[in-house]
Amino acid sequence: MKKEVKVHSLFSDFDISLFRAGKHYRLYEKFGAHIMEVDGEKGVYFAVWAPSAKAVSVIGDFNYWMEGEHPLNVRWDESGIWEGFIPGVEKGSKYKYKIHSNNNDMKLEKADPYALKCEHPPNTASIVWELDYKWNDKKYMSSRKDKNGLDNPYSVYEVHLGSWRKNMDENRSLTYVEMADELVSYVKEIGFTHVEFMPIMEYPYDPSWGYQLTGYFAPTSRFGDPQEFMYLMDAFHKAGIGVILDWVPSHFPEDKHGLGQFDGSHLYEHPDPRKGYHPDWKSLIFNYGRNEVRSFLISNAVFWLDKYHADGLRVDAVASMLYLDYSRGDGEWEPNEHGGRENLDAISFVRDLNTEIYKSFEGVQTIAEESTSFPMVSKPVDLGGLGFGMKWMMGWMHDTLEYFKKDPIYRQHHQNDITFSMTYTFTENFVLPLSHDEVVYGKRSLLVRMPGDDWQRFANLRLLYSYMFTHPGAKLLFMGAEIGQYEEWNFDTSLDWHLLEYEPHLGIKKVLTDLNKLYKTRPALHEKQFSAEGFEWIAYDDSQNSVLSFIRNGKDPKNSLVIVCNFTPTVLKNYSVGLPAGGKLKEIFNSDDKKYGGSGLKNKVLKIEKESFHGREHSAQINIPPLGTVVFEIL
C-alpha cells in the first residue's frame, strides 16, 4: 500500500538550468535528504538524479524497506530528478533508493549520493541527518588568508585517522572527539602548520585507506558522527592549525550500493571503458564531459570547504585524470579531437573546479598530486594553467630517496640526483612530499632505507629532514616518520609510540620540532619559497666531499640564511664557504646537535673574512658535522 508522498521541490527553474549546464556548485542544498516542515507536517524531502529510471522509491526502516511504499515523483522538465516530501520521517532514519530502471527492467538498491551520514561499514544504508553545529573558529577563519598564503610557512602532517593511535584497552581507533584532544595537541607540539587527512569521506573497504569512496558528502562513521568531525575541525582551528582533506574525484568503486550503474545506466561513469574504467584500481572513472557529473563533483568539493570549514583539498591522482592513455597500452585508449593524449573534458573540469574554489573561499588552497610534467598545474586558469595552488614535487621525492639509500661512499658519483630538483623547482608551487605512498608495499620505512649502522641511519634521517626543510617549497611528512618508525605503515595497527622511550627516536621528534620552528620563524625559509629570488647556490659541484651549500632569501636581505649539507660521515673542518657579505656567521641550527643524538660538532660565532671564494668577495671557514646540516645567519 502506497503511503503519502507530497509533491514538493527545492529546485527552481534556475537550479535546473545550472545543474544541466554543469554550473550548479551547491547541489547539496537541493539533493539528498532534508529535514523540514511542509504544510504543518514535519518530515523529510528526498531528491535523487536517476534519468534512466521508470520508478524510484524511498525504502527505509520507517517502511520496513518495502518497495513502492513511498514512491518519488519525477519532475516534468526531463531533468531526471525524482523528488518528494515524506511526512513523519525523522533524523536518524535509515534509507536507500529503490530504483526500477528502464534498462533491462533492472531493480537496484542505492545509497544516497548526497547522504550526510552513512551506516558504519560493512552496512551500507544512508542516514537522515542535519549539519547543525555552533562553530567556535571565527577568529581563525577571519585570519585564515594570512596563514595559508604562498608566502607563509606550510608544513603538513599527513594522517590516517584509523591508525595514528589506538585505544589499546579497547583495541580500537580513537574517535573524532578523542583526536580533538590527543591529535591536535600532538600536531601543535611538533609545530606543523597544517594537518592533512587521508580521505575521511565514507568508504566501504578498510584496505583502500579511504581512496575508494561511496559516501562523498559524509565523514566516515568509523570515528563518530558529522558533528563530532566538525568538533575535531574546530579544535584544530582553535589551535591555529589548518586542515587539508584528501579528495578523490579521479575514480570510484563498483560496490553495488554506490555510484556505479546508478540508475541502470552509465550515469556517473563514462560509458566508454577506455575512459570509464581504471585498470590499475579496478574502479570506475567519472564522466567529466557530462555536465550533471561536473556539478556533482564541484559541489562536493565546495561542500567540505563550506560546511566543514576545510582549509584546502589535496586532489588525488590528478595525472590519471589528465591523460587518456594513463596506464593504458596501444589500442586501449582513443586520442582527443586534436589527436593528443590529454583528456580535454577532465582539464576543463579541473579548471572549473579551481576557479570556483578560489572565487568563493578566501584563504584556501588546492593541491594537486600530479606525477608528470604536465605544464602549469599550479598556475592561474586565466594564464592557461590548471589553477591549483600547489603541486606535489614527486620528482624531488624520488630523486632524494634514491640518493639517500646509497652508501655515502658512492654519493660522490650521484651529486646530480640531489641537485637536479633546483633546475625546475620554481616552475610550479611545489610541496615536498614524504607521504604514505613511500612507506608501503615493501618500500620499507624511511629510517630502514637509510644506509649504515644505527647511528648513521638516524643521522641520515635527520639530514634528510634538514635538507627537506631548507629546500624551497612547502613540506609534507607522513605520520610515523617523525618518530623514526622501523616498520612500514600498516593501516590496521597503531604507530609504534613506544619507540619514543629511546633517545635516537626521541631525537628525530626533537629535530623535526626544531625544523618546524626554524621554518616558521625564519622568513628566508618561507617568504619566497616559490620564487627563484628565494634561492642562491653557493656551491653545488663539490661532489668529492658530497657537500651542498646555498643561501635562502626572504623579502629583507638582512634575513638571509646560509645552509651547508654534508652527505657523508666524514667530519669536514675549516671548510671554506663563499658568502655574500661581511660581518659574522652565527650557527642557528645543527642536525648533529647532541640533543638530537648527534656527535655535537658545532661552530662558534665566526668572523667573515674579506677573502674571495666560490666567486664571492667574502668567505668563512666552518666545521661541517658528519651526515649533518648546519644553518647560519649573518650578523
PDB file of all heavy atoms in Angstrom, residues 156-182:
ATOM      1  N   VAL A 156      53.068  20.285   6.618  1.00  0.00           N
ATOM      2  CA  VAL A 156      51.881  19.426   6.705  1.00  0.00           C
ATOM      3  C   VAL A 156      52.227  18.075   7.322  1.00  0.00           C
ATOM      4  O   VAL A 156      53.181  17.416   6.910  1.00  0.00           O
ATOM      5  CB  VAL A 156      51.267  19.217   5.310  1.00  0.00           C
ATOM      6  CG1 VAL A 156      49.971  18.402   5.412  1.00  0.00           C
ATOM      7  CG2 VAL A 156      51.011  20.561   4.618  1.00  0.00           C
ATOM      8  N   TYR A 157      51.394  17.661   8.287  1.00  0.00           N
ATOM      9  CA  TYR A 157      51.488  16.336   8.908  1.00  0.00           C
ATOM     10  C   TYR A 157      50.361  15.487   8.329  1.00  0.00           C
ATOM     11  O   TYR A 157      49.189  15.743   8.582  1.00  0.00           O
ATOM     12  CB  TYR A 157      51.352  16.476  10.423  1.00  0.00           C
ATOM     13  CG  TYR A 157      51.539  15.209  11.233  1.00  0.00           C
ATOM     14  CD1 TYR A 157      52.719  14.482  11.188  1.00  0.00           C
ATOM     15  CD2 TYR A 157      50.528  14.762  12.098  1.00  0.00           C
ATOM     16  CE1 TYR A 157      52.900  13.349  11.972  1.00  0.00           C
ATOM     17  CE2 TYR A 157      50.700  13.632  12.886  1.00  0.00           C
ATOM     18  CZ  TYR A 157      51.883  12.922  12.811  1.00  0.00           C
ATOM     19  OH  TYR A 157      52.059  11.799  13.591  1.00  0.00           O
ATOM     20  N   GLU A 158      50.719  14.484   7.530  1.00  0.00           N
ATOM     21  CA  GLU A 158      49.716  13.646   6.867  1.00  0.00           C
ATOM     22  C   GLU A 158      49.294  12.514   7.801  1.00  0.00           C
ATOM     23  O   GLU A 158      50.145  11.804   8.350  1.00  0.00           O
ATOM     24  CB  GLU A 158      50.284  13.072   5.559  1.00  0.00           C
ATOM     25  CG  GLU A 158      49.241  12.317   4.752  1.00  0.00           C
ATOM     26  CD  GLU A 158      49.833  11.533   3.592  1.00  0.00           C
ATOM     27  OE1 GLU A 158      51.052  11.239   3.625  1.00  0.00           O
ATOM     28  OE2 GLU A 158      49.088  11.209   2.660  1.00  0.00           O
ATOM     29  N   VAL A 159      47.979  12.312   7.927  1.00  0.00           N
ATOM     30  CA  VAL A 159      47.454  11.395   8.934  1.00  0.00           C
ATOM     31  C   VAL A 159      46.404  10.455   8.344  1.00  0.00           C
ATOM     32  O   VAL A 159      45.517  10.878   7.597  1.00  0.00           O
ATOM     33  CB  VAL A 159      46.808  12.176  10.099  1.00  0.00           C
ATOM     34  CG1 VAL A 159      46.176  11.226  11.113  1.00  0.00           C
ATOM     35  CG2 VAL A 159      47.840  13.058  10.791  1.00  0.00           C
ATOM     36  N   HIS A 160      46.519   9.190   8.715  1.00  0.00           N
ATOM     37  CA  HIS A 160      45.442   8.213   8.515  1.00  0.00           C
ATOM     38  C   HIS A 160      44.773   8.047   9.871  1.00  0.00           C
ATOM     39  O   HIS A 160      45.369   7.518  10.816  1.00  0.00           O
ATOM     40  CB  HIS A 160      46.017   6.878   8.025  1.00  0.00           C
ATOM     41  CG  HIS A 160      44.994   5.807   7.857  1.00  0.00           C
ATOM     42  ND1 HIS A 160      44.752   4.847   8.831  1.00  0.00           N
ATOM     43  CD2 HIS A 160      44.130   5.536   6.842  1.00  0.00           C
ATOM     44  CE1 HIS A 160      43.806   4.026   8.406  1.00  0.00           C
ATOM     45  NE2 HIS A 160      43.403   4.425   7.198  1.00  0.00           N
ATOM     46  N   LEU A 161      43.543   8.541   9.975  1.00  0.00           N
ATOM     47  CA  LEU A 161      42.911   8.641  11.290  1.00  0.00           C
ATOM     48  C   LEU A 161      42.759   7.291  11.979  1.00  0.00           C
ATOM     49  O   LEU A 161      42.838   7.201  13.211  1.00  0.00           O
ATOM     50  CB  LEU A 161      41.534   9.312  11.158  1.00  0.00           C
ATOM     51  CG  LEU A 161      41.546  10.803  10.814  1.00  0.00           C
ATOM     52  CD1 LEU A 161      40.131  11.333  10.683  1.00  0.00           C
ATOM     53  CD2 LEU A 161      42.304  11.603  11.852  1.00  0.00           C
ATOM     54  N   GLY A 162      42.540   6.229  11.221  1.00  0.00           N
ATOM     55  CA  GLY A 162      42.289   4.932  11.836  1.00  0.00           C
ATOM     56  C   GLY A 162      43.499   4.297  12.474  1.00  0.00           C
ATOM     57  O   GLY A 162      43.357   3.405  13.323  1.00  0.00           O
ATOM     58  N   SER A 163      44.710   4.727  12.090  1.00  0.00           N
ATOM     59  CA  SER A 163      45.904   4.047  12.589  1.00  0.00           C
ATOM     60  C   SER A 163      46.913   4.978  13.250  1.00  0.00           C
ATOM     61  O   SER A 163      48.018   4.541  13.575  1.00  0.00           O
ATOM     62  CB  SER A 163      46.590   3.294  11.435  1.00  0.00           C
ATOM     63  OG  SER A 163      46.965   4.193  10.400  1.00  0.00           O
ATOM     64  N   TRP A 164      46.553   6.234  13.443  1.00  0.00           N
ATOM     65  CA  TRP A 164      47.502   7.139  14.093  1.00  0.00           C
ATOM     66  C   TRP A 164      47.786   6.658  15.521  1.00  0.00           C
ATOM     67  O   TRP A 164      48.928   6.468  15.912  1.00  0.00           O
ATOM     68  CB  TRP A 164      46.964   8.574  14.110  1.00  0.00           C
ATOM     69  CG  TRP A 164      47.885   9.528  14.820  1.00  0.00           C
ATOM     70  CD1 TRP A 164      49.093   9.960  14.374  1.00  0.00           C
ATOM     71  CD2 TRP A 164      47.692  10.129  16.100  1.00  0.00           C
ATOM     72  NE1 TRP A 164      49.667  10.805  15.292  1.00  0.00           N
ATOM     73  CE2 TRP A 164      48.821  10.920  16.379  1.00  0.00           C
ATOM     74  CE3 TRP A 164      46.664  10.070  17.048  1.00  0.00           C
ATOM     75  CZ2 TRP A 164      48.961  11.657  17.551  1.00  0.00           C
ATOM     76  CZ3 TRP A 164      46.795  10.799  18.219  1.00  0.00           C
ATOM     77  CH2 TRP A 164      47.937  11.577  18.466  1.00  0.00           C
ATOM     78  N   ARG A 165      46.732   6.479  16.262  1.00  0.00           N
ATOM     79  CA  ARG A 165      46.885   5.962  17.629  1.00  0.00           C
ATOM     80  C   ARG A 165      45.646   5.152  17.981  1.00  0.00           C
ATOM     81  O   ARG A 165      44.537   5.527  17.624  1.00  0.00           O
ATOM     82  CB  ARG A 165      47.076   7.107  18.618  1.00  0.00           C
ATOM     83  CG  ARG A 165      47.256   6.655  20.072  1.00  0.00           C
ATOM     84  CD  ARG A 165      47.597   7.837  20.974  1.00  0.00           C
ATOM     85  NE  ARG A 165      48.953   8.301  20.752  1.00  0.00           N
ATOM     86  CZ  ARG A 165      49.420   9.476  21.190  1.00  0.00           C
ATOM     87  NH1 ARG A 165      48.622  10.295  21.852  1.00  0.00           N
ATOM     88  NH2 ARG A 165      50.671   9.832  20.954  1.00  0.00           N
ATOM     89  N   LYS A 166      45.833   4.055  18.671  1.00  0.00           N
ATOM     90  CA  LYS A 166      44.725   3.192  19.076  1.00  0.00           C
ATOM     91  C   LYS A 166      44.465   3.320  20.575  1.00  0.00           C
ATOM     92  O   LYS A 166      45.370   3.623  21.359  1.00  0.00           O
ATOM     93  CB  LYS A 166      45.045   1.722  18.759  1.00  0.00           C
ATOM     94  CG  LYS A 166      45.292   1.419  17.285  1.00  0.00           C
ATOM     95  CD  LYS A 166      44.002   1.198  16.538  1.00  0.00           C
ATOM     96  CE  LYS A 166      44.276   0.668  15.137  1.00  0.00           C
ATOM     97  NZ  LYS A 166      43.052   0.412  14.368  1.00  0.00           N
ATOM     98  N   ASN A 167      43.216   3.107  20.946  1.00  0.00           N
ATOM     99  CA  ASN A 167      42.882   2.878  22.351  1.00  0.00           C
ATOM    100  C   ASN A 167      43.215   1.420  22.630  1.00  0.00           C
ATOM    101  O   ASN A 167      42.467   0.514  22.237  1.00  0.00           O
ATOM    102  CB  ASN A 167      41.405   3.170  22.603  1.00  0.00           C
ATOM    103  CG  ASN A 167      41.001   2.972  24.051  1.00  0.00           C
ATOM    104  OD1 ASN A 167      41.355   1.972  24.679  1.00  0.00           O
ATOM    105  ND2 ASN A 167      40.249   3.909  24.590  1.00  0.00           N
ATOM    106  N   MET A 168      44.354   1.194  23.266  1.00  0.00           N
ATOM    107  CA  MET A 168      44.852  -0.172  23.410  1.00  0.00           C
ATOM    108  C   MET A 168      43.982  -1.003  24.348  1.00  0.00           C
ATOM    109  O   MET A 168      43.887  -2.228  24.192  1.00  0.00           O
ATOM    110  CB  MET A 168      46.305  -0.155  23.905  1.00  0.00           C
ATOM    111  CG  MET A 168      47.252   0.635  23.012  1.00  0.00           C
ATOM    112  SD  MET A 168      47.148   0.208  21.252  1.00  0.00           S
ATOM    113  CE  MET A 168      47.798  -1.454  21.283  1.00  0.00           C
ATOM    114  N   ASP A 169      43.340  -0.365  25.313  1.00  0.00           N
ATOM    115  CA  ASP A 169      42.483  -1.121  26.236  1.00  0.00           C
ATOM    116  C   ASP A 169      41.300  -1.742  25.517  1.00  0.00           C
ATOM    117  O   ASP A 169      40.865  -2.851  25.832  1.00  0.00           O
ATOM    118  CB  ASP A 169      41.975  -0.207  27.368  1.00  0.00           C
ATOM    119  CG  ASP A 169      43.097   0.266  28.267  1.00  0.00           C
ATOM    120  OD1 ASP A 169      44.123  -0.447  28.339  1.00  0.00           O
ATOM    121  OD2 ASP A 169      42.951   1.332  28.888  1.00  0.00           O
ATOM    122  N   GLU A 170      40.774  -1.013  24.528  1.00  0.00           N
ATOM    123  CA  GLU A 170      39.594  -1.488  23.809  1.00  0.00           C
ATOM    124  C   GLU A 170      39.924  -1.940  22.389  1.00  0.00           C
ATOM    125  O   GLU A 170      39.025  -2.326  21.641  1.00  0.00           O
ATOM    126  CB  GLU A 170      38.531  -0.385  23.772  1.00  0.00           C
ATOM    127  CG  GLU A 170      38.102   0.070  25.163  1.00  0.00           C
ATOM    128  CD  GLU A 170      37.142   1.252  25.108  1.00  0.00           C
ATOM    129  OE1 GLU A 170      36.459   1.416  24.075  1.00  0.00           O
ATOM    130  OE2 GLU A 170      37.090   2.020  26.087  1.00  0.00           O
ATOM    131  N   ASN A 171      41.209  -1.878  22.021  1.00  0.00           N
ATOM    132  CA  ASN A 171      41.666  -2.299  20.700  1.00  0.00           C
ATOM    133  C   ASN A 171      40.835  -1.661  19.590  1.00  0.00           C
ATOM    134  O   ASN A 171      40.253  -2.323  18.734  1.00  0.00           O
ATOM    135  CB  ASN A 171      41.630  -3.825  20.551  1.00  0.00           C
ATOM    136  CG  ASN A 171      42.357  -4.285  19.282  1.00  0.00           C
ATOM    137  OD1 ASN A 171      43.299  -3.631  18.824  1.00  0.00           O
ATOM    138  ND2 ASN A 171      41.906  -5.396  18.719  1.00  0.00           N
ATOM    139  N   ARG A 172      40.779  -0.333  19.614  1.00  0.00           N
ATOM    140  CA  ARG A 172      40.010   0.399  18.608  1.00  0.00           C
ATOM    141  C   ARG A 172      40.722   1.706  18.270  1.00  0.00           C
ATOM    142  O   ARG A 172      41.592   2.185  19.007  1.00  0.00           O
ATOM    143  CB  ARG A 172      38.594   0.706  19.125  1.00  0.00           C
ATOM    144  CG  ARG A 172      38.574   1.588  20.375  1.00  0.00           C
ATOM    145  CD  ARG A 172      37.195   2.136  20.672  1.00  0.00           C
ATOM    146  NE  ARG A 172      37.164   2.908  21.917  1.00  0.00           N
ATOM    147  CZ  ARG A 172      37.559   4.177  22.022  1.00  0.00           C
ATOM    148  NH1 ARG A 172      38.024   4.822  20.965  1.00  0.00           N
ATOM    149  NH2 ARG A 172      37.495   4.803  23.194  1.00  0.00           N
ATOM    150  N   SER A 173      40.330   2.280  17.150  1.00  0.00           N
ATOM    151  CA  SER A 173      40.848   3.594  16.787  1.00  0.00           C
ATOM    152  C   SER A 173      40.244   4.656  17.697  1.00  0.00           C
ATOM    153  O   SER A 173      39.185   4.451  18.306  1.00  0.00           O
ATOM    154  CB  SER A 173      40.493   3.910  15.331  1.00  0.00           C
ATOM    155  OG  SER A 173      41.041   2.945  14.462  1.00  0.00           O
ATOM    156  N   LEU A 174      40.906   5.785  17.774  1.00  0.00           N
ATOM    157  CA  LEU A 174      40.355   6.902  18.532  1.00  0.00           C
ATOM    158  C   LEU A 174      39.146   7.487  17.811  1.00  0.00           C
ATOM    159  O   LEU A 174      39.026   7.396  16.591  1.00  0.00           O
ATOM    160  CB  LEU A 174      41.408   7.988  18.722  1.00  0.00           C
ATOM    161  CG  LEU A 174      42.693   7.608  19.454  1.00  0.00           C
ATOM    162  CD1 LEU A 174      43.575   8.844  19.637  1.00  0.00           C
ATOM    163  CD2 LEU A 174      42.398   6.972  20.803  1.00  0.00           C
ATOM    164  N   THR A 175      38.251   8.095  18.550  1.00  0.00           N
ATOM    165  CA  THR A 175      37.108   8.780  17.967  1.00  0.00           C
ATOM    166  C   THR A 175      37.514  10.188  17.539  1.00  0.00           C
ATOM    167  O   THR A 175      38.583  10.689  17.903  1.00  0.00           O
ATOM    168  CB  THR A 175      35.957   8.873  18.976  1.00  0.00           C
ATOM    169  OG1 THR A 175      36.371   9.732  20.061  1.00  0.00           O
ATOM    170  CG2 THR A 175      35.582   7.505  19.534  1.00  0.00           C
ATOM    171  N   TYR A 176      36.634  10.842  16.762  1.00  0.00           N
ATOM    172  CA  TYR A 176      36.889  12.233  16.395  1.00  0.00           C
ATOM    173  C   TYR A 176      37.083  13.092  17.644  1.00  0.00           C
ATOM    174  O   TYR A 176      37.954  13.971  17.687  1.00  0.00           O
ATOM    175  CB  TYR A 176      35.715  12.793  15.593  1.00  0.00           C
ATOM    176  CG  TYR A 176      35.523  12.208  14.221  1.00  0.00           C
ATOM    177  CD1 TYR A 176      34.262  11.780  13.790  1.00  0.00           C
ATOM    178  CD2 TYR A 176      36.584  12.104  13.325  1.00  0.00           C
ATOM    179  CE1 TYR A 176      34.067  11.264  12.520  1.00  0.00           C
ATOM    180  CE2 TYR A 176      36.399  11.576  12.050  1.00  0.00           C
ATOM    181  CZ  TYR A 176      35.131  11.162  11.655  1.00  0.00           C
ATOM    182  OH  TYR A 176      34.937  10.658  10.401  1.00  0.00           O
ATOM    183  N   VAL A 177      36.273  12.852  18.665  1.00  0.00           N
ATOM    184  CA  VAL A 177      36.342  13.651  19.892  1.00  0.00           C
ATOM    185  C   VAL A 177      37.655  13.399  20.625  1.00  0.00           C
ATOM    186  O   VAL A 177      38.305  14.335  21.121  1.00  0.00           O
ATOM    187  CB  VAL A 177      35.135  13.352  20.800  1.00  0.00           C
ATOM    188  CG1 VAL A 177      35.289  14.034  22.157  1.00  0.00           C
ATOM    189  CG2 VAL A 177      33.838  13.814  20.126  1.00  0.00           C
ATOM    190  N   GLU A 178      38.084  12.149  20.696  1.00  0.00           N
ATOM    191  CA  GLU A 178      39.362  11.842  21.344  1.00  0.00           C
ATOM    192  C   GLU A 178      40.528  12.457  20.574  1.00  0.00           C
ATOM    193  O   GLU A 178      41.482  12.970  21.172  1.00  0.00           O
ATOM    194  CB  GLU A 178      39.528  10.325  21.454  1.00  0.00           C
ATOM    195  CG  GLU A 178      38.596   9.688  22.482  1.00  0.00           C
ATOM    196  CD  GLU A 178      38.582   8.173  22.411  1.00  0.00           C
ATOM    197  OE1 GLU A 178      38.815   7.622  21.308  1.00  0.00           O
ATOM    198  OE2 GLU A 178      38.315   7.523  23.447  1.00  0.00           O
ATOM    199  N   MET A 179      40.432  12.433  19.252  1.00  0.00           N
ATOM    200  CA  MET A 179      41.507  13.025  18.450  1.00  0.00           C
ATOM    201  C   MET A 179      41.553  14.545  18.590  1.00  0.00           C
ATOM    202  O   MET A 179      42.606  15.159  18.442  1.00  0.00           O
ATOM    203  CB  MET A 179      41.347  12.625  16.984  1.00  0.00           C
ATOM    204  CG  MET A 179      41.805  11.192  16.722  1.00  0.00           C
ATOM    205  SD  MET A 179      41.744  10.711  14.989  1.00  0.00           S
ATOM    206  CE  MET A 179      40.054  10.117  14.871  1.00  0.00           C
ATOM    207  N   ALA A 180      40.393  15.148  18.886  1.00  0.00           N
ATOM    208  CA  ALA A 180      40.374  16.600  19.096  1.00  0.00           C
ATOM    209  C   ALA A 180      41.245  16.994  20.276  1.00  0.00           C
ATOM    210  O   ALA A 180      41.708  18.136  20.371  1.00  0.00           O
ATOM    211  CB  ALA A 180      38.938  17.068  19.321  1.00  0.00           C
ATOM    212  N   ASP A 181      41.486  16.072  21.159  1.00  0.00           N
ATOM    213  CA  ASP A 181      42.381  16.315  22.296  1.00  0.00           C
ATOM    214  C   ASP A 181      43.797  15.833  21.966  1.00  0.00           C
ATOM    215  O   ASP A 181      44.748  16.617  21.942  1.00  0.00           O
ATOM    216  CB  ASP A 181      41.851  15.598  23.536  1.00  0.00           C
ATOM    217  CG  ASP A 181      42.765  15.773  24.745  1.00  0.00           C
ATOM    218  OD1 ASP A 181      43.509  16.774  24.779  1.00  0.00           O
ATOM    219  OD2 ASP A 181      42.729  14.910  25.643  1.00  0.00           O
ATOM    220  N   GLU A 182      43.931  14.563  21.634  1.00  0.00           N
ATOM    221  CA  GLU A 182      45.260  13.962  21.510  1.00  0.00           C
ATOM    222  C   GLU A 182      45.994  14.360  20.227  1.00  0.00           C
ATOM    223  O   GLU A 182      47.172  14.720  20.250  1.00  0.00           O
ATOM    224  CB  GLU A 182      45.140  12.439  21.606  1.00  0.00           C
ATOM    225  CG  GLU A 182      44.597  11.957  22.954  1.00  0.00           C
ATOM    226  CD  GLU A 182      44.654  10.454  23.109  1.00  0.00           C
ATOM    227  OE1 GLU A 182      45.629   9.854  22.598  1.00  0.00           O
ATOM    228  OE2 GLU A 182      43.739   9.881  23.716  1.00  0.00           O
TER     229      GLU A 182
END
